[in-house]
Amino acid sequence: MFTLLSGVGLLLLTLAAFSLFSMKMPKGKEAMSGMANAAIASFLIEAVHKYILGDLLNVEFFKILGTTSGSLGGVAAAIMVPISMGVNPVFAVVAGLAVGGYGILPGFFAGYLISLIAPLIEKKLPEGLNIILGSIIIAPLARIIAIGVDPVVNATLLKIGETITLAANQSPITMGFLLGGIMKMICTSPLSSMALTAMLGLNGLAMGIAAIACVGGSFTNGIIFNRLKLGNKSNIIAVMLEPLTQAEIITANPIPIYCSNFLGGGLAGIAAASFNIINNAPGTASPIPGLLAPFAFNSPVSVISAIVLAIIGGTIAGLIGSAVFKNIALENVKPKFASKISQNKKVLANK
């Protein structure tokens, strides 16, 4: 019981810190988006190419490709985070190459801090020399940051991830519901479940629960959007594939969507726990990566069975949520780009 409470408590504590970083730190959301993209570029590629096409089909080319990609998570993070934050791509690549040999978390912190420093360096140095001199300065800085934060990361975030993984192994069904529900809510929120699971280094059953929860919960979102008339068919498809694309509608109607998602993710998480779905590709907590990655570490029958039950659970949660919240006032927000198109049409019509 203590391990279970510790796992859930540490997850919620990390989520709070993660939320504060995203909302309060300079370009925090952009940094987390870069982290999520780095997880896809490294861990997802490793899972699919090494473990599925490489080990399962015994193709040496894909084994090498996947292993190489997975070993460069730190490089990917130190490149993608600055690029997402609008830093000169040359400086981003310099920072990434400089942290070679370190994991995705030291790479993330190095990339983030370099993103704050690089614009100042570029501005202060003479034009024409700023790229060359800036690169020479940034490379050792990025390396020093990675060296400095590596022990701290290993002692905190990765330890938290280990505790959550241990809790999932000791209380699989309970953690399946709680972890699955929380992760699906994060997946649907403006935060990034991929970035969070990558930062925690989740693996094993805990990562399997998070991945399958995101898949099953997609059907919860689809049914909620459809039955509560939130958007059109395009919005429904988009929210099932990538919830962040519908952030405006979701944040305008948080109660029905997040409550339904917690139930849907929880039921899907129980399905993952029941079939002991293992996922050793951290950062794949999203509908499409979550669908693919588990096949690399489990029998196809187990994964398909868990996914089918997760879809059923997500569907049930969507039906329950849409029934419970059908009479509350909802705000059907149009995406910004749609509003701009409508305004442009009116302007043209007036002309």
Side-chain angles (χ1 to χ4, degrees):
M1 179 60 72
F2 176 76
T3 305
L4 173 65
L5 294 176
S6 298
V8 175
L10 288 172
L11 175 60
L12 294 175
L13 181 63
T14 306
L15 177 58
F18 180 64
S19 301
L20 287 173
F21 181 92
S22 297
M23 293 184 292
K24 301 298 183 182
M25 293 297 287
K27 296 189 177 181
K29 290 182 181 179
E30 290 82 356
M32 289 303 176
S33 176
M35 176 72 158
N37 291 333
I40 292 175
S42 55
F43 297 140
L44 179 63
I45 299 302
E46 179 185 33
V48 173
H49 287 299
K50 179 184 177 182
Y51 296 108
I52 298 178
L53 300 178
D55 291 346
L56 190 61
L57 301 181
N58 197 28
V59 180
E60 190 65 24
F61 171 80
F62 289 112
K63 287 182 182 179
I64 296 172
L65 170 62
T67 301
T68 303
S69 297
S71 68
L72 295 174
V75 174
I79 292 174
M80 289 307 304
V81 170
I83 288 177
S84 297
M85 294 175 67
V87 171
N88 188 314
V90 174
F91 292 156
V93 175
V94 168
L97 297 178
V99 302
Y102 284 90
I104 194 168
L105 288 177
F108 167 79
F109 286 108
Y112 180 74
L113 292 176
I114 289 298
S115 297
L116 302 179
I117 298 169
L120 299 177
I121 294 176
E122 190 171 18
K123 184 178 179 180
K124 296 295 182 182
L125 292 174
E127 189 174 352
L129 293 176
N130 50 8
I131 297 296
I132 296 174
L133 295 177
S135 298
I136 293 172
I137 295 170
I138 284 171
L141 278 178
R143 187 77 179 180
I144 290 169
I145 293 169
I147 293 171
V149 302
D150 189 52
V152 179
V153 163
N154 291 332
T156 54
L157 290 174
L158 294 184
K159 285 294 182 183
I160 292 172
E162 290 174 5
T163 303
I164 295 170
T165 300
L166 181 62
N169 292 330
Q170 291 188 359
S171 306
I173 301 300
T174 304
M175 277 298 286
F177 182 77
L178 294 175
L179 180 59
I182 292 170
M183 280 299 172
K184 185 54 196 175
M185 288 177 66
I186 299 170
C187 178
T188 305
S189 75
L191 301 174
S192 172
S193 52
M194 288 189 292
L196 178 60
T197 52
M199 291 185 73
L200 294 174
L202 282 191
N203 56 33
L205 178 59
M207 192 62 235
I209 290 169
I212 297 297
C214 290
V215 176
S218 292
F219 289 82
T220 305
N221 279 331
I223 292 172
I224 288 291
F225 268 55
N226 181 48
R227 289 171 63 90
L228 297 183
K229 309 300 181 185
L230 296 173
N232 53 33
K233 290 183 180 180
S234 297
N235 299 114
I236 295 171
I237 294 172
V239 78
M240 293 181 70
L241 295 177
E242 179 46 70
L244 292 180
T245 61
Q246 305 303 307
E248 292 174 345
I249 295 177
I250 291 168
T251 53
N253 304 281
I255 294 177
I257 293 175
Y258 290 144
C259 289
S260 302
N261 267 264
F262 181 81
L263 178 59
L267 294 176
I270 290 175
S274 299
F275 285 90
N276 194 36
I277 300 299
I278 303 301
N279 183 1
N280 290 325
T284 52
S286 186
I288 296 175
L291 179 68
L292 297 175
F295 283 99
F297 309 101
N298 307 272
S299 72
V301 174
S302 296
V303 176
I304 292 172
S305 300
I307 289 172
V308 169
L309 285 182
I311 291 172
I312 293 172
T315 301
I316 291 171
L319 293 173
I320 292 173
S322 59
V324 170
F325 297 107
K326 65 180 180 180
N327 293 323
I328 73 167
L330 299 172
E331 188 173 350
N332 208 338
V333 180
K334 289 184 178 181
K336 290 181 180 178
F337 70 88
S339 299
K340 290 181 179 178
I341 291 173
S342 178
Q343 290 174 4
N344 291 338
K345 285 182 178 178
K346 288 181 180 179
V347 171
L348 292 173
N350 292 333
K351 289 183 178 180

